[in-house]
Amino acid sequence: MKKSFLGLAIASAFVFASQVAQAEDMYRGAWYVVPGATYMNTDNDLEADNGRGGFLSIGKELSEHWDIQGRLGYNRADEDTGITGASGKYKQTALGLDALYMFSRDKFRPFLLAGIGAARNNVDYSIPGFDIDGKKTSWMANVGLGAQYLFNDKFGIQADVRHQWSRAKIDIAAVGSDTETIGNTLVNLGGIFRFGAPAPVVEEPTPEPAPVAAAEPAPEPAPAPAPAPAPVCKPQNETVTVSAEKLFGFDKANLREEGRKVLEETAAKIKANPEINAVIVTGHTDRIGSDAYNQKLSERRAKMVADYLIAQGVDSNIITSEGKGKSEPVVECEGKKVTKKLISCLQPNRRVDIRAEGTKQIGCQ
């Protein structure tokens, strides 16, 4: 029964890790706490049933790929000697420090973990005729895998499966004692409460996008009856730039209501000008985060905008989307540490450009 449960837990963890989620979050150096519950598959040498308990972890995002968590856990299980009339419990208290390698900083964050610490194992069984007792404080080590999922910037869940080694002492009255290394498997589920991350930057309102196409005003009539000069020809090309925060909000994947209105107006102007034969949507990010993360983020944002324009009636055959990541900044800001000041300074770089192009020229035959 213990082995089948362990296999199911590990299989579930791999299925969980294979799921995909979209998000705009990234490493921002947040602190967080994770209180939760534990199911313990105990070592067979302990002659104890599977147990339950709880834990409390305090974590810190150290870099794009590394977290560290300090953890206090307590678990207990009933004896399972199979002797009639036996009773008692096995108890374990563990204090450790875990390093987590994070494969992603999206909302879905699979990870591997390894840690060390100390454990207090207490075996206290009562069997008719004699007692089994043993208390041992020793080193502790564990490895495992798991994942985090953030529902928003402040709350999420964490699940992991880990195998934990420590030393336990078995002392049988009038027989003797023995100390050996034991291995318990722990399945943990807890809630993530994040704090200390920079607050969203409040921006000035973004100006409404300029019209995609605007006709040249008619020339002033000449005072003499001579023919009026020919109008100046200009290409039917224009680029609308919209702040990424206005479209998506901070730490969000879905379009904001304000962003939808801007795109609806832009779509209406594109449809009103049949001369437009190409619309190119380009996503850009700031320099915070890795090149790979920002390239993926810019492509995803551009595609979201393109899909919404198509949903508003823009011909899908003339619209394309692309991401430029952080390769084309419009402002440069000093500093490497992620602060509110740096995030605010880099705001113009987080944008989406919508360029409408046409071969026909306004006022030209």
Side-chain angles (χ1 to χ4, degrees):
M1 176 179 178
K2 293 181 181 179
K3 291 183 178 179
S4 61
F5 172 80
L6 177 58
L8 177 61
I10 294 175
S12 299
F14 276 112
V15 172
F16 185 33
S18 67
Q19 296 177 348
V20 178
Q22 293 183 340
E24 314 306 321
D25 197 19
M26 64 175 67
Y27 157 67
R28 287 185 283 114
W31 285 88
Y32 56 91
V33 296
V34 187
T38 300
Y39 187 95
M40 178 176 66
N41 183 269
T42 56
D43 190 297
N44 290 332
D45 290 342
L46 291 169
E47 298 290 344
D49 200 357
N50 292 328
R52 293 175 176 80
F55 68 93
L56 176 65
S57 295
I58 299 177
K60 177 71 168 68
E61 297 176 354
L62 297 180
S63 68
E64 276 191 74
H65 290 293
W66 290 100
D67 277 19
I68 193 169
Q69 290 184 6
R71 173 189 170 96
L72 175 65
Y74 175 78
N75 300 293
R76 59 190 295 173
D78 294 330
E79 64 81 28
D80 190 21
T81 60
I83 300 174
T84 303
S87 62
K89 293 187 180 296
Y90 160 67
K91 305 173 186 177
Q92 183 192 65
T93 303
L95 179 64
L97 187 65
D98 296 328
L100 281 65
Y101 181 81
M102 314 298 292
F103 289 96
S104 170
R105 286 297 182 186
D106 289 342
K107 284 189 175 180
F108 178 70
R109 302 177 170 189
F111 61 80
L112 297 177
L113 69 88
I116 58 174
R120 174 74 168 175
N121 290 300
N122 183 1
V123 178
D124 186 10
Y125 303 160
S126 178
I127 297 175
F130 57 93
D131 291 331
I132 299 177
D133 192 10
K135 297 180 176 64
K136 176 69 175 178
T137 300
S138 76
W139 56 265
M140 180 272 294
N142 56 221
V143 296
L145 58 85
Q148 297 177 347
Y149 186 88
L150 300 183
F151 297 103
N152 53 51
D153 187 56
K154 297 298 182 183
F155 178 71
I157 57 174
Q158 174 175 305
D160 69 72
V161 179
R162 65 181 69 197
H163 194 69
Q164 180 191 87
W165 295 271
S166 60
R167 298 279 285 174
K169 180 179 180 182
I170 308 297
D171 191 354
I172 304 176
V175 175
S177 63
D178 182 34
T179 301
E180 60 182 88
T181 300
I182 61 169
N184 296 329
T185 300
L186 309 179
V187 180
N188 305 289
L189 178 64
I192 302 173
F193 299 88
R194 303 175 80 219
F195 55 93
V201 178
V202 179
E203 303 174 15
E204 296 296 325
T206 305
E208 291 297 319
V212 173
E216 289 292 315
E220 293 292 332
V232 178
C233 297
K234 291 187 177 180
Q236 182 84 10
N237 300 340
E238 185 164 350
T239 300
V240 175
T241 299
V242 188
S243 165
E245 275 85 349
K246 185 170 185 178
L247 288 171
F248 300 102
F250 188 84
D251 193 24
K252 300 294 181 182
N254 297 325
L255 287 168
R256 297 174 57 186
E257 186 63 31
E258 181 183 11
R260 290 193 185 98
K261 292 180 180 178
V262 172
L263 296 181
E264 288 166 4
E265 294 172 1
T266 303
K269 292 168 184 175
I270 293 173
K271 292 188 293 183
N273 289 271
E275 297 86 1
I276 294 175
N277 59 13
V279 178
I280 300 94
V281 181
T282 306
H284 303 271
T285 69
D286 61 27
R287 60 178 170 81
I288 299 174
S290 67
D291 292 344
Y293 175 87
N294 282 295
Q295 179 62 32
K296 178 182 175 183
L297 175 61
S298 65
E299 292 173 357
R300 189 162 62 241
R301 284 179 165 173
K303 187 176 186 305
M304 289 179 185
V305 171
D307 289 346
Y308 195 80
L309 292 176
I310 293 172
Q312 297 302 308
V314 176
D315 186 358
S316 61
N317 294 319
I318 69 170
I319 190 166
T320 58
S321 65
E322 61 182 358
K324 294 296 184 67
K326 56 183 179 181
S327 63
E328 296 183 0
V330 294
V331 297
E332 298 290 344
C333 302
E334 296 182 355
K336 294 183 179 180
K337 185 177 180 181
V338 180
T339 63
K340 292 177 64 176
K341 181 179 179 181
L342 179 63
I343 293 174
S344 178
C345 178
L346 293 173
Q347 186 276 326
N349 295 337
R350 302 187 294 272
R351 67 195 191 278
V352 176
D353 294 334
I354 305 171
R355 179 173 177 80
E357 298 180 349
T359 55
K360 183 177 179 180
Q361 295 181 325
I362 300 174
C364 302
Q365 301 297 324

